[in-house]
Amino acid sequence: MENFKPVTEYIKNLYDTREFIPLHVPKFRGKEKNYLERCIDTTFVSSVGKFVDQFEDQMVQITGTQKAVAVVNGTAGIQVALRLVGVKAGDEVLTQALTFVATANAIIYNHAHPVFLDVDLDTMGLSPKAVSAFLEDYGELRDDGCYNKKTGRKISACLPMHTFGFPVHLDELISVCKAWNIPIVEDAAESLGSEYKGKPTGSFGELGVFSFNGNKIVTSGGGGAIVSNSVSLAEKGKYLTTTAKQPHPYEYFHDELGYNYRMPNLNAALACAQLEQLDTFLAEKRNIAEIYADFFKTQSLNFRTELPNTKANYWLMCVELENKQDRDAFLKYTNSESVMTRPIWQLMFRLPMYEKFQKDNQKNAIFLEERIVNIPSSVR
């Protein structure tokens, strides 16, 4: 464990404290209090208000899409986005097992079935090669879409997740899914501000979904957003997340099953002030990543950096250990020294509610699960 002492001391010095160093905390240095007070003064603190509209406009500008829909959290956003692209009960969704549980949960909320495919070692996100190999083995194109020959179920969507803000290989994934007539929904919960070949993540699929949880690069306390270049899809999303209520001056008429998933104006006020600082946060994140990268060149740990033609937001920065034994020792030592570190998630198929779903060999995902650790990544 003494091998990890220099790393621990370096992180303490970087954050200029000997106290507990958390993994990621929000920074409120802008107009957060001002906007919250203004929101309260209007008395519009629920799902209607100026700040909800402003937040949606800001997300359109940031993501380069045509329309955004404010929702209560990223999980709800994915659930609705999957429904919007046609996922129905009994259908299948191709996704990755190396992800936060919300990705898989959102599929189940639609009464659909996740199919867990491998990730790429360089992106830690869904592998186009794994998707292609699976479809070559099990895919069958019919007039109404792609079906899984093994299960007989329709494969209604592909749901990649941009792990820790590192974009997946989008060109290749789009090409594969287009050939098999499978729409893409991007789980961009962790990648606000990330880019692939100069274009924001979340803007490539039929829809993209972002999270504004308290630990994200920009936070609204709790909240999410659905974005799309299809105005009609996004408008349907707004309608569904507003309990599928038909507009009327006073009558309450709901013509299909909807959700009470709209972001409150109070949360949107906080989000608007945070989004105004996004460029500053991204610049500071990149500076911390550069400092870490230089330091870890002298250590036995591999610090993960962005790939060519991509721009990562470096939401949660991470290192790769030699093996699981070293990973566990690193986690134990750093946390005992009040430096918060966390392993990457346990693979979804290891969880009791997901152990029976179809998966491939997961070779890369298992390799990363045993080695990747997040280190403190807050803006200073």
Side-chain angles (χ1 to χ4, degrees):
M1 290 190 183
E2 285 299 312
N3 294 337
F4 303 132
K5 184 175 182 179
V7 175
T8 306
E9 292 300 311
Y10 187 84
I11 294 173
K12 288 181 177 180
N13 290 330
L14 179 65
Y15 283 94
D16 194 27
T17 180
R18 312 306 293 178
E19 304 297 326
F20 174 73
I21 303 175
L23 201 62
H24 196 280
V25 294
K27 295 293 181 181
F28 303 115
R29 305 184 302 201
K31 298 179 181 178
E32 289 89 352
K33 291 182 180 179
N34 175 265
Y35 286 2
L36 287 169
E37 288 176 356
R38 285 165 57 182
C39 180
I40 292 169
D41 289 343
T42 69
T43 72
F44 285 89
V45 296
S46 191
S47 57
V48 175
K50 170 188 172 182
F51 288 108
V52 174
D53 297 336
Q54 182 178 323
F55 168 77
E56 291 177 340
D57 289 342
Q58 285 175 278
M59 285 302 295
V60 165
Q61 294 299 314
I62 290 168
T63 61
T65 53
Q66 293 297 308
K67 190 169 179 62
V69 181
V71 292
V72 291
N73 54 55
T75 311
I78 298 171
Q79 178 187 350
V80 173
L82 290 173
R83 178 174 166 181
L84 289 170
V85 298
V87 174
K88 295 180 174 61
D91 289 352
E92 293 181 347
V93 177
L94 308 181
T95 193
Q96 58 204 69
L98 187 72
T99 186
F100 180 57
V101 71
T103 307
N105 286 350
I107 297 170
I108 297 295
Y109 296 159
N110 284 288
H111 305 288
H113 301 256
V115 175
F116 297 118
L117 302 181
D118 208 358
V119 296
D120 285 317
L121 288 175
D122 54 0
T123 68
M124 299 180 287
L126 187 63
S127 169
K129 291 183 176 62
V131 173
S132 180
F134 176 84
L135 291 170
E136 289 294 333
D137 286 342
Y138 297 104
E140 179 180 75
L141 276 174
R142 302 180 189 173
D143 290 342
D144 62 339
C146 182
Y147 283 76
N148 185 333
K149 289 186 290 188
K150 181 176 181 178
T151 63
R153 301 187 186 104
K154 186 177 182 180
I155 302 173
S156 292
C158 178
L159 182 61
M161 198 275 282
H162 302 297
T163 305
F164 306 139
F166 294 101
V168 303
H169 291 297
L170 281 161
D171 279 352
E172 293 88 343
L173 186 62
I174 290 168
S175 179
V176 171
C177 289
K178 184 177 180 180
W180 289 92
N181 196 20
I182 301 171
I184 294 174
V185 172
E186 288 178 76
D187 181 348
E190 302 178 354
S191 67
L192 182 67
S194 297
E195 297 177 359
Y196 178 82
K197 295 186 176 179
K199 184 178 175 182
T201 56
S203 66
F204 288 84
E206 293 293 315
L207 301 120
V209 182
F210 294 87
S211 169
F212 298 88
N213 188 34
N215 67 346
K216 293 300 192 293
I217 192 167
V218 162
T219 184
S220 56
I226 304 169
V227 301
S228 182
N229 285 309
S230 169
V231 173
S232 61
L233 268 184
E235 286 180 344
K236 181 67 180 290
K238 188 168 186 175
Y239 157 76
L240 288 176
T241 58
T242 316
T243 65
K245 180 182 180 297
Q246 288 290 332
H248 192 279
Y250 49 85
E251 291 285 1
Y252 288 86
F253 181 72
H254 311 259
D255 59 358
E256 63 179 301
L257 180 65
Y259 314 94
N260 188 15
Y261 281 176
R262 291 286 284 162
M263 177 191 286
N265 198 39
L266 198 64
N267 295 87
L270 183 61
C272 288
Q274 286 271 287
L275 286 174
E276 290 174 355
Q277 303 167 78
L278 177 60
D279 287 345
T280 300
F281 290 159
L282 291 171
E284 293 185 29
K285 284 279 198 176
R286 296 187 70 79
N287 177 251
I288 294 170
E290 289 173 4
I291 292 170
Y292 269 143
D294 286 342
F295 169 72
F296 281 109
K297 288 176 184 176
T298 66
Q299 305 299 310
S300 59
L301 293 78
N302 174 33
F303 179 74
R304 285 299 191 115
T305 57
E306 64 194 10
L307 298 177
N309 297 315
T310 72
K311 186 176 182 180
N313 66 0
Y314 287 106
W315 167 55
L316 283 186
M317 301 176 209
C318 57
V319 292
E320 180 182 321
L321 282 295
E322 285 292 326
N323 50 53
K324 188 178 185 298
Q325 182 179 1
D326 284 356
R327 185 206 73 163
D328 292 346
F330 180 74
L331 287 165
K332 183 176 180 180
Y333 182 79
T334 51
N335 283 283
S336 72
E337 291 293 315
S338 298
V339 173
M340 186 176 180
T341 59
R342 286 292 182 267
I344 207 167
W345 315 278
Q346 289 191 32
L347 300 178
M348 290 300 99
F349 59 80
R350 300 198 194 284
L351 306 182
M353 61 281 201
Y354 291 119
E355 61 187 7
K356 295 181 180 179
F357 289 98
Q358 191 174 4
K359 65 180 186 300
D360 60 10
N361 63 28
Q362 298 290 307
K363 178 181 177 182
N364 294 340
I366 292 169
F367 179 93
L368 294 167
E369 179 192 33
E370 294 178 346
R371 292 165 174 82
I372 295 293
V373 173
N374 293 122
I375 58 177
S377 308
S378 302
V379 170
R380 293 182 296 170

